[in-house]
Amino acid sequence: MTTEEAIRLVTAARSHADLFGAEAPARRYRELVGALHPDRLAAADPRVRAAATAALTTVTTRWRNPEAYTGDIATLHRKEGPLLNASGRGGAPSYHLIKVPRHPGDNDLMAREARALRRIAERGDARHLAYVPRLVDSHPVRDPSTGAERLVNVLATPPGLHSLEDVRRAYPDGVDPRDAAWMWRRLLVALGLAHRAGVVHGAVLPRHVLIEPDAHGLVLVDWCFSAEPGGLVPALVPGQEDWYPPEVAAKRQCGPGTDIALAARCMTWLMGDRAPHELRAFADGCRQPTLSARPDDAWRLLRELDEVLHRLYGPRTFRPFTLNP
């Protein structure tokens, strides 16, 4: 395994099994460590050495702690925590996620997440706060071996969450639009909550939209790429560049319509060819090329979506949803 292959594998892995495989995990671990070890990279480009160092940290951390998994810029460690529920109902136990950036240069993105979640908690409607993670703590931690300081965020989320990527893998031919409907509605609630608090998420991608299938809950995670309306989304998630509306890549001002366009893309992707014409037309209206042409009020858009859904399917009814179709 080459160093470049190892870096790509670590960057793409979303779980312990993705990284180490199921048949010979110890052998894969040794291969990765060998490919990423500093002794092998003395003459390498500095950027390759930096990427390999970050990847090696992820490999060793996740080998020691299988509960850790990889986010876009951080490694997350799961610990049991107090009570919280994604649907805002009941009292299911939650988990604390200790989010450690793999590179100190991403501390500014961790700080953005902390600021966004604090602002939403302070200014948002308390009835809807369960749609975003709860910031438990944010503090610097110094690596004793290198002296590097990393900003660590501690978040609380419910258990039993699955990303829209997981959902699409379970339904490769597309999700029934009647099931996608509740996910879209709840995603608009999460966005309405954030936008009224003065926060644009900036990375509404399938991997960041987590659902709780049984209770039809939803949590929008990874606020590291957030901005204020009129500001700039600070970075694009690597490998997801094609998902973004034009203003993000062009480094133009973002707004609520940025998130609304990304959310519509998520939902049409989730439904695939099963999406009816009416919902595709609705999504197209959310994804106009310019920010000024798009809807900018998620709450008003939710009412418009409800009207479309009522014309298609009649009064809302609860449909049980499972990831084992």
Side-chain angles (χ1 to χ4, degrees):
M1 180 183 297
T2 68
T3 298
E4 290 75 12
E5 288 170 341
I7 292 171
R8 287 195 295 270
L9 175 61
V10 175
T11 302
R14 306 295 294 177
S15 68
H16 190 84
D18 288 344
L19 187 55
F20 299 113
E23 295 184 0
R27 183 175 65 193
R28 170 70 65 78
Y29 170 71
R30 291 192 295 270
E31 289 175 349
L32 288 167
V33 170
L36 299 167
H37 198 278
D39 291 348
R40 184 173 178 173
L41 302 170
D45 182 280
R47 290 172 295 181
V48 174
R49 289 202 303 271
T53 299
L56 181 60
T57 299
T58 297
V59 168
T60 55
T61 298
R62 292 179 63 180
W63 181 254
R64 292 193 299 266
N65 179 14
E67 287 297 311
Y69 62 97
T70 300
D72 296 315
I73 65 168
T75 301
L76 292 90
H77 308 266
R78 189 174 70 176
K79 304 290 184 182
E80 289 196 15
L83 300 182
L84 189 69
N85 187 276
S87 66
R89 303 190 300 269
S94 73
Y95 295 100
H96 283 169
L97 291 176
I98 302 171
K99 189 171 181 178
V100 184
R102 292 186 292 279
H103 194 283
D106 289 328
N107 284 345
D108 61 325
L109 299 180
M110 301 294 289
R112 280 179 179 265
E113 177 171 67
R115 283 197 303 269
L117 292 177
R118 286 195 189 102
R119 175 175 285 195
I120 293 171
E122 291 167 359
R123 303 182 182 181
D125 189 328
R127 294 175 298 174
H128 306 305
L129 290 179
Y131 286 86
V132 302
R134 179 168 58 88
L135 181 68
V136 177
D137 194 11
S138 182
H139 59 272
V141 171
R142 189 171 298 278
D143 187 328
S145 62
T146 65
E149 191 171 84
R150 290 176 169 83
L151 184 62
V152 173
N153 290 344
V154 183
L155 310 172
T157 61
L161 297 177
H162 302 272
S163 72
L164 293 189
E165 288 182 343
D166 297 331
V167 175
R168 184 59 198 263
R169 278 192 291 268
Y171 291 85
D173 295 329
V175 172
D176 189 309
R178 293 169 295 177
D179 296 315
W182 65 259
M183 302 176 202
W184 203 343
R185 296 188 73 259
R186 281 154 180 73
L187 182 52
L188 288 175
V189 171
L191 294 180
L193 168 74
H195 296 164
R196 290 283 172 88
V199 178
V200 173
H201 183 275
V204 184
L205 302 167
R207 64 179 57 180
H208 298 156
V209 181
L210 309 184
I211 65 161
E212 190 180 41
D214 293 341
H216 285 194
L218 181 143
V219 181
L220 181 58
V221 302
D222 204 339
W223 294 79
C224 291
F225 305 91
S226 59
E228 295 183 7
L232 301 180
V233 174
L236 284 73
V237 174
Q240 305 290 299
E241 293 85 357
D242 291 346
W243 279 81
Y244 289 85
E247 67 271 13
V248 180
K251 298 188 181 303
R252 296 195 298 266
Q253 291 182 340
C254 70
T258 303
D259 286 344
I260 286 171
L262 285 163
R265 171 89 186 269
C266 285
M267 302 316 299
T268 53
W269 170 83
L270 190 67
M271 291 181 284
D273 292 339
R274 301 183 68 177
H277 169 75
E278 293 85 351
L279 287 180
R280 287 196 174 277
F282 181 85
D284 289 344
C286 297
R287 298 179 58 200
Q288 294 294 320
T290 62
L291 181 62
S292 60
R294 291 181 220 134
D296 63 358
D297 186 329
W299 294 112
R300 182 184 305 134
L301 191 65
L302 175 60
R303 293 193 293 272
E304 294 174 6
L305 175 61
D306 281 343
E307 292 172 0
V308 175
L309 293 170
H310 189 275
R311 290 196 297 270
L312 281 170
Y313 304 117
R316 290 204 307 269
T317 58
F318 183 88
R319 282 173 51 87
F321 182 74
T322 176
L323 289 184
N324 300 300

